[in-house]
Amino acid sequence: MNVSEGKSVTVHYVLKLENGRVYESTLEEDPLVYTHGQGEIIKGMEKELTGMSIGQQKTFIVEPEEGYGEVTLDALLEVPREHVPMEARMVGEKITAVGPKGQKVEGFVYEDKRKTLVIDFNHPLAGMTLYFEVSVVDIQEPEPA
C-alpha cells in the first residue's frame, strides 16, 4: 500500500533548519498521524510523501512557498502598548491573540516603539527552507464515515 489521497498515514520525521539545527523531531515521541490530501501538513511534505510505502525512508528539502510561506509585512501589526499584557511587552516575548475568525494566533513582539508594539504574526518558519528526514511507519485505509 502506498501513501495516497485519503489514507491515514503515520510517519516519523526530523525537521532541520538551514544551519543544520534540529527544529522538531518525532523520533523520541509518538509519530505524526495525518490524513493524506487533506492539508493537515505542509504542501511540500505531503507532495514528497505521496507514493511512499511502509518502511520507506526519504530525505528532502521544502522551499518556503511549499512550507510555511514567505515572511509578509501584512503579518506585522502595530498595537497600542496597553492592549498587550504587561508580561509580554518586551521584544522577543510570545503573545497569543484572537484572529478575525475567533481562532488563536501566535506571534511575538518584534519591535517596541514606546507607545505601540509591533507584533509579528508570521509563522516562526516562514521564509525558511526546511530539511526533512522521514520514514513511513504505517498506512491505513480511511475510517468509514
Side-chain angles (χ1 to χ4, degrees):
M1 185 180 306
N2 292 342
V3 174
S4 60
E5 185 82 22
K7 299 274 191 331
S8 175
V9 181
T10 304
V11 297
H12 268 298
Y13 70 91
V14 175
L15 166 57
K16 294 181 182 177
L17 303 180
E18 206 161 354
N19 63 7
R21 184 175 70 87
V22 173
Y23 181 82
E24 195 171 77
S25 173
T26 63
L27 297 181
E28 301 293 323
E29 53 192 59
D30 291 337
L32 169 69
V33 180
Y34 76 98
T35 303
H36 198 76
Q38 301 301 304
E40 295 173 8
I41 62 173
I42 59 173
K43 188 181 345 179
M45 186 177 185
E46 195 162 65
K47 188 162 85 174
E48 291 288 339
L49 287 166
T50 300
M52 290 181 69
S53 56
I54 295 172
Q56 191 173 0
Q57 297 179 352
K58 189 175 190 180
T59 299
F60 55 89
I61 297 170
V62 175
E63 297 296 335
E65 56 274 5
E66 291 200 327
Y68 292 97
E70 297 292 344
V71 173
T72 64
L73 296 178
D74 293 345
L76 297 176
L77 290 173
E78 195 166 338
V79 296
R81 185 177 202 81
E82 62 270 10
H83 290 172
V84 176
M86 285 290 277
E87 65 275 8
R89 292 183 184 175
M90 291 174 47
V91 172
E93 288 295 321
K94 279 189 176 182
I95 187 166
T96 303
V98 178
K101 296 176 184 160
Q103 77 280 22
K104 283 186 177 179
V105 288
E106 298 224 338
F108 71 93
V109 178
Y110 177 77
E111 184 179 359
D112 186 342
K113 292 187 167 184
R114 300 193 82 187
K115 292 186 184 215
T116 62
L117 296 168
V118 178
I119 311 294
D120 184 350
F121 288 105
N122 281 293
H123 189 281
L125 297 177
M128 294 187 185
T129 300
L130 309 173
Y131 299 80
F132 283 94
E133 297 168 10
V134 299
S135 61
V136 178
V137 176
D138 194 22
I139 304 168
Q140 297 288 320
E141 290 294 337
E143 294 289 323

